[in-house]
Every structure is written in structure tokens, then in C-alpha cells.
Amino acid sequence: MCIRDRSYTELCGQVMSHYISEEDVPKAKLSELIAKSYDSANWSSDTGEVVPLVALDKHENICLLEQFHGPTCAFKDVALQFLGNLFEFFREPGTTITVLGATSGDTGGAAICGLRGKNGVQVCILHPEGKVAELQKLQMTSVIDKNVHNLAVDGDFDDCQNIVKTLFVDQELQSRTRLGAVNSINWARILAQIVYYFSAYFQWCKLKSKTPMQDTVDFVVPSGNFGNALAGFYAKQMGLPIGRLVIATNHNDILHRLIAEGDFSKNKSVPSRAPAMDITVPSNFERYLFMLGGCDPAVLKSWMTSVNAGDGLPLSDEQLSEMRSFLSSGRASDEEIDGTISALEQDIGMTVCTHTAVGLHVATKSLLPNQQLICFATAHHGKFGQS
């Protein structure tokens, strides 16, 4: 069967087998874990697709990839349902894994949903007190399984993430607790996200009568920690015909400032209408920079030392040019987010979440003639009624 005609679970097996060896996970067992993760009972789309692609009415060149049909109504479910089953598989009999995570909102609920009740797995999630949507908080704190633990941190997501990173480099703690990660520190989560780029592309080819593996499409990705976008970079490295990734940020815009202006200076996070993107230290971007620096760890270390010292990111003109050949960007203010939501409701009767609205604002403002865009709808709008 041609790869373009494969089901989502078959695509998972095809993509993941490039990274997961038979020695690590036998092929039959990997297929079993994938089938369990994407069982139709956990996914609510009318089409049966895990991440269905839909045309955006009155916007001929823009499609939406609905990533919110999982159990917690956010794109994080796609990776964390799989990751939860992977943790259970790798746990050695008689041992306990402690899974640690930081969340700006969606990761926490999705991680808890994927790990609750798992044998030999404890999950501890840190969230910034008062800076997640109420429904996101309830998706975490109302789960009473004995293996689930929530901690509210006086600070923002960056503070939560710094705590997690510090714990993971504590070798003595690692030896006592068998720490595992649900954040995209864990590359298996990025791996699971690569798959939906392939799924989106092949759905787009069918929807728009395009030629698979020849016609190209650009993706608009609402971005905070850069994990969703990083998966797209790896998908392109695997040969998927992605033209460009358009990075869409709210007013916490370090990625947009770098791509548009070469400015990677850190600012304090300011609460926005899209709270899951209120991130000023996009940790996954370091993985992209590693590739941009020729996969040289010494180069990456020198760059990040400069950033952490407040001296910016010293990319050469050639490196900036290479980055901009694949990444472009845009930004949405709170007013522009609200305006995009209101306009969509009035024009086509569609309601989107504030994070998706960031992407759609950037998409509609940056669309070039004949440019084809797939915009990620990252969460259901019902999660953010008070954001």
C-alpha cells in the first residue's frame, strides 16, 4: 500500500519505525502500542481521523488541521496518549517510574490522562498558579487516581520548566527516582507529533487534488515552546514536501523577533489571551539551533551561553538566511486575537480557541498569492472561555 493511503495508525508505524528499532520495541509490540493509543474510543472526530483536515470556508487557500479530538481536547493528546503507553512498556517489573512535567495548560491534563492508573508509574505535574485556564486546571486537579500529583508554582511556565530541567540534571536524584519526562524534553513526544504532519499533508493532497510528494504546502503553527514546529522541521528532513513553517506567536514573541529581526533577547512573560503560549524560553528551539549550527554541541553551547548572559544569539548572516529560508513568522496581539475570533464567528459561524486564532490571524495577514496553508487548530475553544 502506498504511504499516502495508509491509516493514521499505519502512518505512525511507518514514521516511527525509522527511529524505534526492533531491539527497543518489537514491530508487533509497537503496532499494539500505537493501536491502543489511537483507539477510536478515545478520539471524537466525525470522520474517524485522529487529526481531521477541514477546508476553511471563504478562505480557499487555507485549511485547518483539527488537533483537538482527543480526550482532553488539545493537540498534546496525540503524543501523550502514545507516550503514556510507552512508559508502561519500558518500565522494568517491580520498579516505579516517576514522570515529571511542567505545563502552561494543555500538557498537564493530557499527560495525566495518558498516565492515570498506569502500573508502576507516578506522575507529577507543575503548573503556574493562576495562569492556566480554569478547565485546564480542573483537567489536572480533579483527577483523584493515587498515582497523580499536582503542584501549583508561584511563577510562570518558564519557572516551572526551569524546576523540571534542574531536577533532570541532578544525577543523584535520577538514580533514586527513575525520572521520566512528559514535556518535549522527551524526544519520543516530538516523534509522535511528526506523524500528524504526514497525515495532514496526505489529507490535503486528497482534499485539494494535489500530487502527493510533489506539490508543497506551508504550515502555520501557533508556537510557544516550539515543539509542534520542531516536529514539522523533522518531517521536512524526512522528505515531506513542506514549503515553509510559519511560526505564529502572541505578544510573548521571542521566536517572531528572532526570525523577523534577529532579536533573541529574553523578556518577562506577560499574560495573554492565549495563555498556553505565554513562554519566553522556547526550549525546543535549541534542538533546531543544534541542526543550524552543523550538529556541533560546542557551537550550541556557546550560543546558549551568550543568550543566558543577555548578549543575544550570535548567528551569522548566512545562518540567519538559512533559517529564514524555511521559517517565517507573525505575531498577534490580544486585540487581534479577539478580532480574529469575532470575524470568523460572524463570517462563517466557526468558533476557534485563542491559540488557533493566533495562527489564523498570522495566516490571513501573511498569505501570498497562490500560497497554500495548513493552519493548526491546537485546542477546542471550550477550554479557554475565560482566558
Side-chain angles (χ1 to χ4, degrees), residues 70-100:
T72 70
C73 303
F75 81 95
K76 306 291 178 72
D77 288 319
V78 182
L80 289 169
Q81 285 292 303
F82 175 70
L83 194 58
N85 290 320
L86 206 59
F87 272 124
E88 193 171 42
F89 169 76
F90 278 117
R91 183 185 68 88
E92 297 176 1
T95 64
T96 297
I97 298 173
T98 302
V99 178
L100 187 63

Side-chain angles (χ1 to χ4, degrees), residues 164-336:
V164 170
K165 286 183 174 180
T166 300
L167 294 174
F168 272 105
V169 297
D170 186 329
Q171 296 301 311
E172 191 274 333
L173 180 68
Q174 282 270 29
S175 67
R176 290 191 291 108
T177 57
R178 295 176 179 265
L179 285 182
V182 290
N183 290 96
S184 42
I185 293 170
N186 189 329
W187 199 84
R189 199 176 115 177
I190 301 295
L191 172 58
Q193 292 175 269
I194 293 172
V195 178
Y196 52 61
Y197 278 88
F198 282 84
S199 176
Y201 175 78
F202 292 125
Q203 290 183 70
W204 174 77
C205 287
K206 291 179 181 178
L207 186 66
K208 297 291 187 177
S209 300
K210 300 294 183 178
T211 304
M213 303 309 293
Q214 293 185 26
D215 289 315
T216 63
V217 66
D218 297 345
F219 284 83
V220 182
V221 188
S223 296
N225 214 22
F226 199 72
N228 219 1
L230 182 69
F233 169 73
Y234 290 137
K236 183 176 177 66
Q237 296 298 300
M238 294 181 68
L240 193 67
I242 298 174
R244 299 176 69 85
L245 288 183
V246 183
I247 307 303
T249 74
N250 61 20
H251 56 225
N252 296 294
D253 61 352
I254 187 170
L255 289 169
H256 171 63
R257 285 187 285 111
L258 174 66
I259 295 166
E261 305 164 12
D263 175 15
F264 201 64
S265 58
K266 294 181 181 179
N267 296 328
K268 185 67 177 175
S269 175
V270 178
S272 78
R273 295 276 286 128
M277 295 162 59
D278 290 344
I279 297 170
T280 62
V281 185
S283 61
N284 277 297
F285 196 66
E286 292 181 38
R287 285 174 165 147
Y288 173 75
L289 290 175
F290 177 72
M291 302 291 286
L292 188 64
C295 301
D296 186 337
V299 170
L300 179 61
K301 182 179 180 180
S302 69
W303 284 350
M304 299 316 298
T305 299
S306 175
V307 169
N308 292 330
D311 296 328
L313 183 61
L315 299 181
S316 67
D317 290 342
E318 291 77 13
Q319 288 160 339
L320 280 169
S321 178
E322 181 181 346
M323 177 182 68
R324 290 167 177 159
S325 70
F326 180 53
L327 301 179
S328 59
S329 65
R331 170 180 52 206
S333 67
D334 281 355
E335 293 75 18
E336 288 166 334

Side-chain angles (χ1 to χ4, degrees), residues 16 24 42 59 66 74 113 131-132 143 159 163 177 193 202 204 213-215 231 246 300-301 311 322 361-362:
M16 292 178 180
D24 289 329
N42 292 327
H59 296 80
E66 295 182 347
C113 183
K131 295 178 181 176
V132 299
V143 178
D159 296 314
I163 293 170
T177 57
Q193 292 175 269
F202 292 125
W204 174 77
M213 303 309 293
Q214 293 185 26
D215 289 315
V246 183
L300 179 61
K301 182 179 180 180
D311 296 328
E322 181 181 346
H361 169 78
V362 171

